[in-house]
Amino acid sequence: MGLNSFNIRMNFERAIMRSEMPQFRYYQNFNTYYFKGWQRTSTMGRRYELKLTLTQWYPDDMPALYVISPIQLKSFNSWKTINQSGLSHTNHTQTNGPNGCVQICHFRPERWDASQTCVGVFTKGILWLEAYENYLITGSDIASILARWRRRQ
């Protein structure tokens, strides 16, 4: 995909984000492209800052979604953090991102395709945040909570 195609796609993504999720804003710094913003959960009312990073090969290249604030996410056992797990099926996380922040698993790489959008990724990130807070309350792992919610659809 050429730079012109990337710019056309990013104009499309930015328009959707402005309409559907205005709390997340687009940033470009040289060859670094990302959306970033704050989300308040409905479960506990806490605020989290999410960052979706894109490469110049987006949408063919799957973006990465991080929780950048708070940088450390407590686990149900308060003496540990979700960050310490890194890549984890039960936490539904990928390897940690910059500064050790949690990277949310939002799609399987083999299932990613160019029809996916940034809004779809952020939607999964917001669901992950709600599942994370349910985990803090119940101790049920995040993957189980998300699977239970999927079955209800």
Side-chain angles (χ1 to χ4, degrees):
M1 177 178 274
L3 190 57
N4 191 38
S5 297
F6 175 81
N7 288 334
I8 291 168
R9 176 62 184 250
M10 290 317 300
N11 287 337
F12 168 75
E13 293 284 357
R14 288 166 50 197
I16 296 172
M17 291 296 290
R18 273 193 305 273
S19 172
E20 302 299 320
M21 295 185 168
Q23 70 272 35
F24 300 108
R25 300 185 61 116
Y26 178 71
Y27 299 88
Q28 179 182 351
N29 186 5
F30 299 103
N31 288 333
T32 304
Y33 313 93
Y34 59 96
F35 286 94
K36 182 171 75 168
W38 290 89
Q39 178 68 36
R40 184 178 299 280
T41 60
S42 60
T43 303
M44 298 174 82
R46 293 183 179 160
R47 292 183 57 202
Y48 300 87
E49 189 174 21
L50 296 176
K51 181 178 181 181
L52 180 67
T53 62
L54 308 151
T55 69
Q56 62 188 5
W57 299 281
Y58 178 83
D60 296 319
D61 200 17
M62 187 173 81
L65 181 61
Y66 304 105
V67 180
I68 60 171
S69 185
I71 194 82
Q72 296 290 320
L73 299 179
K74 290 198 259 183
S75 78
F76 183 71
N77 300 322
S78 60
W79 48 273
K80 289 182 92 179
T81 66
I82 295 288
N83 309 62
Q84 290 173 305
S85 301
L87 176 63
S88 167
H89 171 71
T90 56
N91 290 330
H92 217 65
T93 54
Q94 297 290 343
T95 55
N96 290 353
N99 300 317
C101 68
V102 168
Q103 181 179 180
I104 296 171
C105 179
H106 55 83
F107 275 93
R108 289 186 181 157
E110 67 274 10
R111 291 189 181 169
W112 178 263
D113 64 58
S115 70
Q116 307 303 331
T117 65
C118 293
V119 166
V121 174
F122 273 116
T123 298
K124 289 189 172 198
I126 292 167
L127 286 170
W128 186 93
L129 291 174
E130 297 294 345
Y132 166 67
E133 289 195 347
N134 272 266
Y135 153 77
L136 290 176
I137 294 166
T138 66
S140 294
D141 65 73
I142 295 168
S144 297
I145 293 166
L146 290 169
R148 190 168 53 248
W149 290 351
R150 268 193 303 275
R151 285 192 300 270
R152 290 184 184 166
Q153 294 179 4

